[in-house]
Amino acid sequence: MSVAFVLHRAAKVLTLAGPQRPRRGREMSDLCILEDASVAVDEDGRIAWVGSAHNLDVPGDPEIVDCRGKTILPAFVDAHTHLVYAGDRKDELEMRLSGADYEAIFAAGGGILASVRATRSADEDALVTATRSRIRRMLRAGTTTFEIKSGYGLEPATELRQLAAARRLAREDGLRIRTTCLAAHAFPEDVRDGRRTADDFVSEICETILPAAVREGLADYADVFCDRGAFSVEQARRVLARAKELGLGLRVHANELGPTGGARLAAELGALTADHLLFVDDDDRRALARAGVTAVLLPGTSLVLGKPFADGRALIEAGVPVAVATDSNPGSCALENLGLVLALACYGNRLSPAEAIVAATHNAACTLGLAHEVGRVEPTMAADLLVLDTDDPRDLVYHAGSPLAWAVYCRGRRVDRLDEAAKS
Ligand code: NIG
Ligand code: FE
């Protein structure tokens, strides 16, 4: 395979070389940095070679991209998003900024249910178009791999349409997307007004929605919002046990609003991830570590909702592998820039910059079964690379939110200039 281009003489390449499993404890601090180094990318969009720039020896006449003064790292992997939705909730944002409470808005039939109404009335094309513009912004900020959940349908047709929209974006735009059926995101209107019971809806998820998502090849994972005002541990256990039986990997929205038992359930069922984790104790952390569940921290949501930040430091010290993701959704956090969220994981969750980088790349990739493909800079892996306009990766935290992405590649293709390419 011939070399297409070389990112040459970068001040630093953060390779994250090492085992393919999730990193925990001190392993999360090791970025395995090469200095004055180059990365060669083949015609197939894979990494052909990584090493010290003066050892570069590649066949043919590849394009040489001068990366002096830059930092190359694996492109970000966003392991928790709700990107497929219609409408927005900016009115709610203003209400919350003037004191209204997220849970109270939700209990009054707004919040998630407002997005459900908008999403139910949008067709697949509209969902694809809206999601594509969100993803374009995320690509520009350095994310090339996405987990996308449904959860704004709460009925078979719309749940499947959301998942189909995500699959279509993967196919049509050449994106790497993994999908999660989150039909158990909230109880729909007819349960709230007593026309049917909560258990009826749980049965519909188990007997209709999840089997259809699997039959149609639309879901890789299942998730449940197991929390105060949402699904109880017993209801969540039913959904997750059924999902497991259907061959889906498990992810759990857990302990965001209170110490509600979701984290323990994730450990008990061997879920891949337990996400949020604002309210966990030593026993919860021990259970997660023992079961090898990755904690997905979502500090953007803490910021936007004015909630406490999950104690990431304690999770790392307890030996729980940690990932960081945006949670990008229309209500509780519409942030899209994982580089910024990674900085929040330092300021809020008390991770070090190195830990936060591992959390937003390799560890996130592990939770999506993609550690052989993305999250490290190693030969044969996909050339999903983020080139920063700085020689110090700590600038991601120090200058949080600054436009540091100098170039972003997904499978060797520039993806940070798609709009300009379309114009010219
Ligand atoms: O992860 N916690 C539940 N679900 C989302 C919020 C979705 C919404 O508000 O629309 C979350 O924060
Ligand atoms: Fe979420």
Side-chain angles (χ1 to χ4, degrees):
M1 181 61 61
S2 63
V3 169
F5 65 94
V6 177
L7 301 176
H8 195 40
R9 298 207 59 185
K12 293 189 181 73
V13 176
L14 317 185
T15 67
L16 278 72
Q20 275 194 24
R21 55 174 174 72
R23 311 270 163 93
R24 29 171 111 200
R26 294 173 65 117
E27 295 171 345
M28 284 191 66
S29 304
D30 190 5
L31 296 173
C32 219
I33 300 179
L34 301 177
E35 297 197 349
D36 191 15
S38 300
V39 180
V41 176
D42 71 21
E43 303 277 1
D44 229 14
R46 303 210 152 258
I47 295 169
W49 187 89
V50 189
S52 187
H54 54 262
N55 291 334
L56 178 70
D57 179 19
V58 292
D61 185 22
E63 181 195 349
I64 302 291
V65 182
D66 183 354
C67 289
R68 277 176 293 181
K70 313 283 189 244
T71 297
I72 301 174
L73 69 157
F76 297 136
V77 175
D78 200 334
H80 181 140
T81 83
H82 309 247
L83 284 175
V84 178
Y85 59 85
D88 65 59
R89 307 220 306 267
K90 292 172 201 171
D91 50 346
E92 247 176 58
L93 169 63
E94 287 188 311
M95 284 161 65
R96 279 191 287 100
L97 288 173
S98 51
D101 174 63
Y102 176 77
E103 284 180 75
I105 294 172
F106 180 40
I112 292 172
L113 290 181
S115 294
V116 168
R117 288 187 285 274
T119 305
R120 282 183 178 178
S121 61
D123 65 16
E124 190 182 301
D125 287 345
L127 292 176
V128 166
T129 303
T131 306
R132 179 175 284 131
S133 63
R134 294 170 196 133
I135 286 184
R136 291 275 170 107
R137 291 190 290 269
M138 295 169 92
L139 290 169
R140 283 208 291 274
T143 303
T144 61
T145 301
F146 307 84
E147 183 264 7
I148 299 182
K149 302 175 197 297
S150 62
Y152 296 117
L154 315 182
E155 60 170 14
T158 309
E159 289 291 321
L160 297 179
R161 193 159 70 251
Q162 281 190 277
L163 296 168
R167 284 280 198 250
R168 223 176 98 189
L169 280 159
R171 228 175 22 247
E172 292 179 0
D173 295 18
L175 298 165
R176 195 179 296 95
I177 293 175
R178 291 290 177 269
T179 58
T180 301
C181 182
L182 175 59
H185 195 191
F187 288 103
E189 217 85 64
D190 60 353
V191 172
R192 290 173 176 243
D193 64 20
R195 276 176 289 153
R196 63 174 167 160
T197 66
D199 280 346
D200 287 341
F201 181 54
V202 171
S203 298
E204 185 180 29
I205 295 171
C206 293
E207 300 319 321
T208 307
I209 302 180
L210 288 173
V214 170
R215 198 170 48 242
E216 297 181 28
L218 292 175
D220 305 304
Y221 305 100
D223 192 341
V224 178
F225 185 15
C226 177
D227 223 312
R228 196 161 75 192
F231 288 71
S232 69
V233 168
E234 275 324 304
Q235 291 163 336
R237 184 183 280 112
R238 258 184 82 194
V239 172
L240 294 168
R242 178 70 176 129
K244 200 168 172 179
E245 207 174 85
L246 289 163
L248 296 170
L250 309 182
R251 320 180 84 85
V252 189
H253 278 75
N255 303 54
E256 177 187 4
L257 306 173
T260 43
R264 292 292 187 89
L265 181 65
E268 173 195 319
L269 296 175
L272 291 156
T273 69
D275 307 38
H276 286 291
L277 303 180
L278 273 55
F279 299 95
V280 288
D281 61 20
D282 285 342
D283 288 340
D284 296 324
R285 283 185 283 265
R286 264 195 293 276
L288 292 169
R290 212 175 302 120
V293 179
T294 295
V296 180
L297 305 180
L298 308 163
T301 310
S302 293
L303 175 77
V304 173
L305 293 185
K307 302 253 179 211
F309 288 87
D311 191 343
R313 186 83 262 123
L315 285 160
I316 290 178
E317 276 160 17
V320 181
V322 168
V324 171
T326 61
D327 196 16
S328 195
N329 74 71
S332 69
C333 174
L335 300 190
E336 297 168 330
N337 182 336
L338 186 48
L340 172 64
V341 172
L342 169 167
L344 294 178
C346 298
Y347 295 118
N349 305 118
R350 301 194 296 139
L351 269 56
S352 70
E355 289 167 340
I357 289 171
V358 170
T361 57
H362 171 77
N363 272 9
C366 289
T367 75
L368 297 171
L370 291 170
H372 60 290
E373 200 175 326
V374 290
R376 301 186 311 286
V377 184
E378 282 181 8
T380 77
M381 294 185 66
D384 280 47
L385 300 166
L386 167 57
V387 185
L388 298 178
D389 196 8
T390 171
D391 61 6
D392 190 336
R394 292 175 299 181
D395 280 340
L396 281 170
V397 182
Y398 194 56
H399 294 305
S402 290
L404 289 165
W406 184 75
V408 184
Y409 298 88
C410 176
R411 298 190 178 97
R413 179 175 68 108
R414 267 308 273 274
V415 289
D416 53 323
R417 300 188 301 204
L418 296 174
D419 296 330
E420 287 152 58
K423 267 183 251 149
S424 60

